Amino acid sequence: MTETQHFWRWSEKTYQAPDLDWRAASSITVGVDVGSVSSQAVILADGKLLAFNSTRTGSSSPDSALRAFRGAAEPIGLTLDDISYAVGTGYGRVNVPFADRTITEIACHARGANHMGGPSIRTILDMGGQDCKVIRIDERGKVLNFIMNDKCAAGTGRGMEVIADVLSVPIEDIGRRSFEIDEEPAAVSNVCTVFAKSEATSLLRAGWSVNKVLAAYCAAMAQRVAGLIERMQVEREFFITGGIGKNIGVTRRIERLIGVEAIKLPADSVLDPQIAGALGASLFAHSLYRKAQKEAAAAGGTAPGNGGTPGGAAEPAGEGAGVAG
Amino acid sequence: MIANYGYEDGSGFYYITVDTDICIGCTEYGCTKVCPGNVFAVEMDDYDDFVCTVAEGARKRLRELCSVCKAQNGSGGTERKLPCTAACPGGALRHSW
Amino acid sequence: MIVAGIDVGAKNVHAVLIQDGVVLAKAAVVSGFDQEESAERGLQEAARVAGIDRSAIQAIAATGAGRKALAIAGQQPTEVLADGRGAAKLRPGARTVIDVGADEARAIRLSPEGKVLDFAINEKCAAGAGAFVEAMSRALDMSLGDFATSSLGSTQSIPMNAQCTVFAESEVVSLIHANTPAADIARAVHDAMASRVSAMVRRIGVDDPVVLGGGAALNVGFVKSLSEALGGVNVEVLPDAEYLGALGAALIAWESAS
């Protein structure tokens, strides 16, 4: 291998439903979540999961949005022209060039978590690349209350990536390895990721194993996040979304600290907690599209699938093609 | 919706709370006029209502932007001592300090 | 009698020698992993500059993050105490002392007689300390000195959104991609750091005269931004600003020895 290894990089993930023919669907709705670290696209055919893709956010948000969409759509021959309605969300949501509307990531994560974890979910912890939020929702996935923190990299996905790089441990292995220790160490004292780099080096010099340093980091991150959750008084039926949701080194330690176990996706689920925001956006896109269709029909307007609706107006030609195809 | 925008400074953890249900129908936009740090913005939320939010650019800088008022007002609590909480006609804004 | 004050910081060790109440020599060396060894190197260097033998140093006071690790130090004053003492000596009557080092920043309110009344410390966040500007100048591939002076030539003020050094790095990269002039980026970086330091200073109140020490005081771009962030107050840069803590420690050692 001549290429430098990027320890912080998550492997990209893509999924296409094997038994769904999108060409027979009357609507193709898309949700795109452009996060600070990674971007996801979810495509629904008549409201059912058709495909999704997760990719690294590059320096340009519009490019990242397109890349995420193409990753999901190209394997099944779907193009931008086939989209009935698209919703952008996340940090870069205003830069999704093909979006008909933008919706905040708070509402999208709420809706996505409600869909993934079921209507009993009441508290969501969204741990993303750049920040961390706790959201309380009702049984329909509507946001009742949320808290977001004025955050730095400590306690976010980006902070964990820096640690992965410093310790040369692939980010996917951090969670598992952080439990392969003799005894749980105290959390690292440095809150700041910049200073944590030098702290990690001195811990290694002091004879700590890499796994033990990882454990101390995961514990520190869990402590920061748990403090935020406690302010919201977690109700049961608690669900974790976002990239760090995949790091059991952090999530299990959070569960220990707050004494509540998070609802997990079934082992055979194709879903991924990282796509919750994009999934929520695609569900919003689906209902907004249906609403627009109904309004158009009520106005005595055009046949479903054609332009002339507020949502469809952006891409009238594309829609007709999508349905006819 | 109750929106809590939190921040941490040397003396602890604080947050600004906006009860956006109170904002619906507001035409005064007092919050956007008085804040010396331009922390607030009125934007359409996800349920199509125009409500007060902490502006995107201010979210990560509350610790600095609020330091001017926080130093002057000490523990304001829920009393209307701050420019923003005083300017909101419906009482939708609260600070935890 | 010769005494020494050493300031064992995260990046550098500063040492000041005092003979009969008068500064004899100063020296700075880079901090290594072993703080005891780094401090010793600092003392050796100061002795060499003074042209004396290391064994001539009769008492040592150590301050800075690494002070507790030093068995050779008879006294270990806190950074706040040492800064306050040093500032009162360098600028009698100073009321607000700001010390911005590589990893830490402090603000100290002094009484007219030079007693510490109140202080605030940031040791948790690189974005409020010198490490921030250093990381950003690296992102721009500029020396720290060039970065600092170029800030003065800026023609527009660009607000930085990222509070954190880790995120600010990517913000600077996107400013570079957008062909923003380096001078404006440098100013944005100094403004951002000054805004954070000023938020800390406001917690203890700002009384004239305001003096600035620590390595960041040598950065003219930061000094200008800090003065603006504090509402235009005159920020006086202390002479030998980076030796502030070491000088204070040396004065403390001298006072208790004599």
Side-chain angles (χ1 to χ4, degrees):
Chain A
M1 285 228 312
T2 50
E3 210 181 323
T4 6
Q5 195 176 353
H6 293 301
F7 293 101
W8 45 265
R9 226 176 238 283
W10 282 97
S11 50
E12 307 208 335
K13 189 168 177 180
T14 184
Y15 165 84
Q16 282 79 27
D19 48 0
L20 210 56
D21 179 16
W22 63 269
R23 288 179 176 85
S26 64
S27 75
I28 298 290
T29 53
V30 178
V32 182
D33 181 355
V34 181
S36 59
V37 167
S38 66
S39 299
Q40 292 82 32
V42 171
I43 308 175
L44 305 180
D46 289 332
K48 287 200 206 63
L49 181 68
L50 174 67
F52 70 78
N53 180 51
S54 177
T55 180
R56 182 90 191 163
T57 300
S59 57
S60 148
S61 294
D63 289 353
S64 307
L66 278 169
R67 219 155 14 87
F69 170 74
R70 291 206 183 106
E74 269 172 5
I76 48 172
L78 195 133
T79 69
L80 279 178
D81 291 342
D82 301 316
I83 303 175
S84 313
Y85 199 98
V87 165
T89 189
Y91 167 81
R93 62 181 177 276
V94 293
N95 287 317
V96 180
F98 50 95
D100 297 285
R101 177 168 176 179
T102 62
I103 291 181
T104 64
E105 62 270 33
I106 297 163
C108 289
H109 274 274
R111 191 144 179 191
N114 169 269
H115 187 89
M116 280 186 184
S120 60
I121 300 290
R122 285 293 171 278
T123 308
I124 301 160
L125 168 63
D126 169 23
M127 292 195 287
Q130 193 168 262
D131 58 11
C132 176
K133 303 180 192 80
V134 182
I135 309 167
R136 292 265 286 274
I137 58 172
D138 68 9
E139 72 286 353
R140 289 167 305 137
K142 196 179 163 178
V143 181
L144 298 175
N145 197 333
F146 73 85
I147 184 164
M148 58 163 68
N149 205 350
D150 168 10
K151 262 289 176 281
C152 56
T156 68
R158 186 70 195 105
M160 200 42 104
E161 290 181 351
V162 172
I163 302 308
D165 226 28
V166 169
L167 296 173
S168 303
V169 174
I171 196 144
E172 275 129 333
D173 295 346
I174 288 182
R176 179 181 51 79
R177 288 187 55 175
S178 78
F179 290 109
E180 292 169 2
I181 45 170
D182 301 331
E183 170 185 24
E184 180 81 9
V188 285
S189 59
N190 257 322
V191 221
C192 176
T193 304
V194 175
F195 299 157
K197 284 190 197 176
S198 49
E199 189 171 13
T201 324
S202 39
L203 287 174
L204 291 175
R205 275 170 180 264
W208 285 41
S209 69
V210 171
N211 290 0
K212 194 173 168 188
V213 177
L214 289 173
Y217 271 101
C218 290
M221 200 166 281
Q223 274 180 9
R224 279 181 81 83
V225 175
L228 190 66
I229 302 173
E230 272 158 9
R231 277 161 224 284
M232 282 292 263
Q233 295 158 351
V234 196
E235 286 183 46
R236 291 209 166 257
E237 308 304 318
F238 152 66
F239 193 77
I240 303 179
T241 65
I244 307 226
K246 298 198 280 190
N247 183 333
I248 54 165
V250 178
T251 57
R252 283 203 199 146
R253 287 181 173 90
I254 292 173
E255 289 171 344
R256 270 188 216 159
L257 286 168
I258 63 172
V260 178
E261 211 169 297
I263 305 283
K264 310 284 187 314
L265 289 169
D268 60 346
S269 172
V270 298
L271 295 171
D272 180 324
Q274 197 172 14
I275 66 158
L279 177 66
S282 69
L283 292 164
F284 269 114
H286 183 64
S287 20
L288 287 165
Y289 180 67
R290 288 219 312 212
K291 193 173 153 201
Q293 294 291 90
K294 266 189 216 151
E295 279 167 11
T302 50
N306 277 334
T309 63
E315 288 154 358
E319 250 162 66
V323 177
Chain B
M1 190 200 300
I2 314 276
N4 295 281
Y5 301 91
Y7 65 102
E8 209 171 355
D9 68 16
S11 66
F13 185 89
Y14 304 94
Y15 44 95
I16 301 176
T17 305
V18 187
D19 185 343
T20 59
D21 290 345
I22 296 177
C23 297
I24 298 170
C26 175
T27 52
E28 276 192 35
Y29 296 0
C31 52
T32 62
K33 291 173 191 155
V34 295
C35 175
N38 290 320
V39 162
F40 302 102
V42 172
E43 284 168 10
M44 188 165 83
D45 73 358
D46 301 315
Y47 309 102
D48 293 348
D49 295 309
F50 282 91
V51 301
C52 168
T53 63
V54 167
E56 193 100 36
R59 281 179 200 166
K60 306 235 172 262
R61 300 177 54 214
L62 286 175
R63 176 171 71 162
E64 304 154 42
L65 296 174
C66 288
S67 71
V68 181
C69 296
K70 187 165 172 281
Q72 286 164 6
N73 289 270
S75 53
T78 50
E79 289 169 47
R80 294 190 184 186
K81 282 183 179 172
L82 300 163
C84 53
T85 52
C88 176
L93 284 174
R94 279 178 290 139
H95 275 259
S96 67
W97 30 275
Chain C
M1 175 157 136
I2 299 173
V3 300
I6 38 177
D7 180 356
V8 187
K11 226 187 116 200
N12 294 302
V13 172
H14 291 97
V16 170
L17 300 186
I18 286 184
Q19 182 168 32
D20 303 329
V22 181
V23 173
L24 179 67
K26 325 182 268 297
V29 297
V30 174
S31 299
F33 275 98
D34 183 342
Q35 286 162 329
E36 195 114 46
E37 183 271 337
S38 309
E40 191 53 47
R41 261 191 301 122
L43 288 173
Q44 300 272 10
E45 179 62 15
R48 193 190 62 76
V49 173
I52 59 161
D53 196 72
R54 159 72 178 84
S55 59
I57 301 171
Q58 286 162 284
I60 299 166
T63 189
R67 69 178 189 277
K68 293 258 167 68
L70 301 185
I72 51 166
Q75 281 168 297
Q76 295 166 347
T78 62
E79 294 93 314
V80 170
L81 203 63
D83 279 356
R85 190 67 195 81
K89 169 83 175 179
L90 291 170
R91 173 64 169 89
R95 301 298 305 278
T96 309
V97 184
I98 307 170
D99 177 353
V100 183
D103 275 18
E104 270 190 34
R106 286 178 284 282
I108 303 154
R109 194 151 62 91
L110 295 180
S111 74
E113 298 76 38
K115 262 189 68 187
V116 175
L117 297 175
D118 197 0
F119 66 91
I121 304 181
N122 164 34
E123 53 187 9
K124 295 192 298 192
C125 172
F132 179 68
V133 171
E134 225 172 278
M136 298 307 121
S137 68
R138 260 201 311 274
L140 268 172
D141 211 7
M142 283 170 92
S143 76
L144 203 50
D146 288 350
F147 189 74
T149 40
S150 77
S151 173
L152 302 177
S154 160
T155 52
Q156 55 174 333
S157 129
I158 305 165
M160 281 193 67
N161 293 318
Q163 159 187 283
C164 170
T165 308
V166 174
F167 299 141
E169 250 162 11
S170 37
E171 202 170 326
V172 164
V173 169
S174 43
L175 286 172
I176 296 170
H177 281 306
N179 289 325
T180 312
D184 294 335
I185 301 180
R187 176 171 168 195
V189 167
H190 290 125
D191 282 351
M193 181 177 151
S195 161
R196 284 183 283 269
V197 172
S198 73
M200 177 187 72
V201 179
R202 282 201 203 95
R203 281 186 52 219
I204 57 155
V206 185
D207 281 333
D208 273 334
V210 179
V211 298
L212 178 65
L218 307 178
N219 177 330
V220 286
F222 170 68
V223 176
K224 180 164 185 270
S225 294
L226 180 63
S227 165
E228 282 164 13
L230 287 170
V233 299
N234 181 31
V235 175
E236 295 177 32
V237 173
L238 293 169
D240 292 323
E242 71 275 35
Y243 290 95
L244 176 61
L247 172 68
L251 290 167
I252 290 167
W254 169 252
E255 277 152 22
S256 66
S258 55

